[in-house]
Amino acid sequence: MVLNWRFSTQDGVYRPSGILNLRGNDSDERYIGTAYLANFTYSVNNYISVVSGIQYFKTGAFIDDMIPNSKDGVFFNARLGFKF
């Protein structure tokens, strides 16, 4: 579980690249939301592994304040790993 808060009420939400995604000046709320994470790994043998994960993001007061009709999100991922 990861709790996400803004450092200050002037802070916003940023993309992984560091670019501002959502300005924060228009809200006094600080709680962005909570991410619930699960990761599953299966080793086929010493050289091949399958990894999958799921994340459920529950929006907090800041997102609800800034985005009308905001919704929680679910994200999935899968990877196939090879060792040489």
Side-chain angles (χ1 to χ4, degrees), residues 47-62:
Y47 305 101
I48 300 171
S49 63
V50 178
V51 180
S52 64
I54 184 170
Q55 174 182 326
Y56 172 73
F57 186 79
K58 173 75 176 144
T59 60
F62 173 69

Side-chain angles (χ1 to χ4, degrees), residues 29-80:
E29 300 292 342
R30 295 179 75 145
Y31 175 57
I32 297 169
T34 301
Y36 300 92
L37 307 161
N39 191 37
F40 309 96
T41 302
Y42 175 71
S43 294
V44 177
N45 56 38
N46 288 339
Y47 305 101
I48 300 171
S49 63
V50 178
V51 180
S52 64
I54 184 170
Q55 174 182 326
Y56 172 73
F57 186 79
K58 173 75 176 144
T59 60
F62 173 69
I63 299 295
D64 295 338
D65 194 23
M66 295 297 294
I67 301 173
N69 302 317
S70 65
K71 296 184 177 159
D72 300 340
V74 177
F75 307 93
F76 299 96
N77 71 62
R79 296 184 306 272
L80 183 60

